[in-house]
C-alpha cells in the first residue's frame, strides 16, 4: 500500500519502512484503518498527531477510542478542524475563521 493511499482522510505519526519508494509497516496499516473510519469529507488524526500539532492553529474534536483491526491497543481519534483567514468586510484585514 502506498502511503498516499492511506493518508487521504487520516493523519498518523510513526516510522514507516521505506522500500523502492513505497512505505510499509504498522504505521501505514494503522493509517489505512483510521482512514477507513473517517466519514466523507472528514480528516481524522491520532493522539500523536494532535500532540505534534499543538499551537499550530488546528482545532481538534475528540472522537473517542478506536480499535483498529490487527491492533491490540485502542487509538484515540480526533476530527481535525482548521482555522483559515478571510478578509474583514469593509476594511480588508485578515480575521481568523473556524471551519465547521
Amino acid at each position: 500500500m502506498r502511503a498516499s493511499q492511506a493518508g487521504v482522510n487520516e493523519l498518523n505519526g510513526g516510522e514507516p519502512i521505506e522500500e523502492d519508494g513505497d512505505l510499509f509497516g504498522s504505521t501505514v496499516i494503522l493509517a489505512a484503518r483510521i482512514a477507513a473510519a473517517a466519514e466523507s469529507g472528514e480528516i481524522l488524526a491520532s493522539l500523536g498527531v494532535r500532540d505534534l500539532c499543538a499551537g499550530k492553529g488546528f482545532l481538534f474534536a475528540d472522537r473517542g477510542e478506536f480499535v483498529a483491526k490487527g491492533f491490540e491497543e485502542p487509538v484515540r481519534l480526533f476530527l481535525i478542524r482548521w482555522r483559515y483567514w478571510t478578509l474583514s468586510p469593509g476594511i480588508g484585514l485578515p480575521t481568523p475563521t473556524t471551519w465547521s
Side-chain angles (χ1 to χ4, degrees):
M1 167 180 292
R2 292 191 180 277
S4 61
Q5 291 173 315
V8 172
N9 293 325
E10 184 278 335
L11 297 174
N12 183 48
E15 278 297 317
I17 300 165
E18 190 274 328
E19 183 178 304
D20 298 325
D22 282 342
L23 298 176
F24 302 92
S26 61
T27 298
V28 176
I29 294 168
L30 181 57
R33 301 277 194 263
I34 296 172
E39 300 291 328
S40 177
E42 287 185 335
I43 301 173
L44 296 178
S46 63
L47 176 62
V49 170
R50 188 201 70 168
D51 291 346
L52 290 170
C53 293
K56 306 280 193 262
F58 294 95
L59 302 173
F60 296 88
D62 192 337
R63 289 285 297 270
E65 291 191 337
F66 170 71
V67 179
K69 178 182 172 187
F71 291 84
E72 293 180 16
E73 297 294 320
V75 176
R76 181 155 300 278
L77 296 183
F78 296 85
L79 174 64
I80 297 178
R81 297 173 181 237
W82 62 90
R83 293 181 182 152
Y84 58 93
W85 293 90
T86 59
L87 295 179
S88 298
I91 56 174
L93 296 175
T95 57
T97 306
T98 302
W99 170 78
S100 56

